Amino acid sequence: MNPITFDLFADAEPEQQPRLDRIGEQSCVLRGFALPWLDQLLPALDAVLAEAPFRQMITPGGFTMSVALSSCGVLGWTTDRSGYRYTRDDPLTGKPWPKMPEVFLELAQAAAREAGFADFVPDSCLINRYVPGAKMSLHQDKDEASYAAPIVSVSLGLPAMFLFGGFERGDKSQRVPLFHGDIVVWGGVDRLRYHGVLPIKDGLHPRLGEQRINFTFRTAG
Ligand code: SIN
Ligand code: FE2
């Protein structure tokens, strides 16, 4: 192939643009956005979990959550019989939550920027582990000190059906399928929208096995 033919061929190649699906005025899904970060993310996740293992928490109503939780960052989200709150120490180990790995922070900031939120500085990353059958009921993220910053939510492993609702629990929800590597960002006028996850279907993900891992970055303090 001579250089001229080669150039023509290269021009004809479709541009590989990351896909942005808008799901609200200030919310979107960045399809596959986390994939290039995976080789750095997974070892960093293992290091966090070695310090602060997954555990199933109890809601104020006395139910054990089907999703297992951990956190990293200055603040970690917890729930028990006395309520929901952010804490500086992990109640399980009595030690501060693990530091947020640099690669987590960089990914969260890059995704926020792509979604139109410059200057996102998360101080908390909730880590959710769903095994098949686990779900998260519709809720608002409202334990943060301010709602000025968006929520950046990374999906890894088994697929999920994300519910993106309105401002009242009873409002109709959109069903948004989420796959390995997708990132949902919601903020601004959409910051307090109800959201949840339908029960995860049985499956085996080639990289993560029989689970879905979700990172939810927030500015909590
Ligand atoms: C959450 O709202 O904390 C989790 C959302 C998700 O797992 O996608
Ligand atoms: Fe949430």
Side-chain angles (χ1 to χ4, degrees):
M1 199 188 290
N2 70 45
I4 293 167
T5 318
F6 179 80
D7 282 351
L8 287 171
F9 184 72
D11 283 348
E13 284 284 288
E15 277 272 312
Q16 273 301 327
Q17 290 285 357
R19 205 170 99 217
L20 185 154
D21 290 344
R22 194 147 289 289
I23 56 171
E25 203 179 321
Q26 288 187 279
S27 12
C28 63
V29 184
L30 303 169
R31 296 291 178 190
F33 194 90
L35 293 177
W37 306 69
L38 264 193
D39 289 345
Q40 287 174 274
L41 279 180
L42 295 180
L45 171 64
D46 285 343
V48 165
L49 293 174
E51 268 189 75
F54 282 125
R55 77 296 303 266
Q56 279 176 281
M57 292 187 188
I58 314 261
T59 65
F63 295 100
T64 301
M65 292 182 70
S66 57
V67 178
L69 273 58
S70 184
S71 277
C72 62
V74 176
L75 294 170
W77 187 85
T78 64
T79 169
D80 60 21
R81 286 307 299 248
S82 62
Y84 307 123
R85 74 188 73 83
Y86 282 96
T87 61
R88 289 185 170 267
D89 292 340
D90 176 349
L92 186 69
T93 64
K95 291 190 287 193
W97 292 104
K99 191 175 165 337
M100 192 182 298
E102 201 59 39
V103 56
F104 279 38
L105 184 65
E106 283 170 15
L107 173 62
Q109 292 184 324
R113 204 175 307 121
E114 189 73 17
F117 299 96
D119 311 317
F120 179 47
V121 186
D123 55 10
S124 179
C125 174
L126 174 67
I127 307 168
N128 293 307
R129 176 179 192 253
Y130 299 73
V131 292
K135 64 178 171 67
M136 194 166 296
S137 311
L138 278 178
H139 65 279
Q140 293 169 295
D141 287 2
K142 56 177 187 188
D143 299 325
E144 297 70 33
S146 143
Y147 306 139
I151 304 287
V152 171
S153 176
V154 179
S155 291
L156 301 175
L158 289 179
M161 190 59 84
F162 184 66
L163 301 176
F164 196 56
F167 299 99
E168 306 282 348
R169 188 183 299 277
D171 290 351
K172 198 171 154 42
S173 300
Q174 298 176 55
R175 289 181 171 220
V176 183
L178 295 181
F179 302 96
H180 182 60
D182 290 350
I183 303 188
V184 188
V185 182
W186 64 98
V189 297
D190 290 326
R191 174 62 179 73
L192 286 175
R193 298 220 1 207
Y194 273 87
H195 56 281
V197 176
L198 290 183
I200 300 295
K201 295 208 170 108
D202 280 335
L204 195 62
H205 187 269
R207 191 91 187 252
L208 279 112
E210 210 178 7
Q211 60 179 347
R212 169 176 185 261
I213 302 282
N214 166 260
F215 301 149
T216 305
F217 293 93
R218 301 100 183 262
T219 305

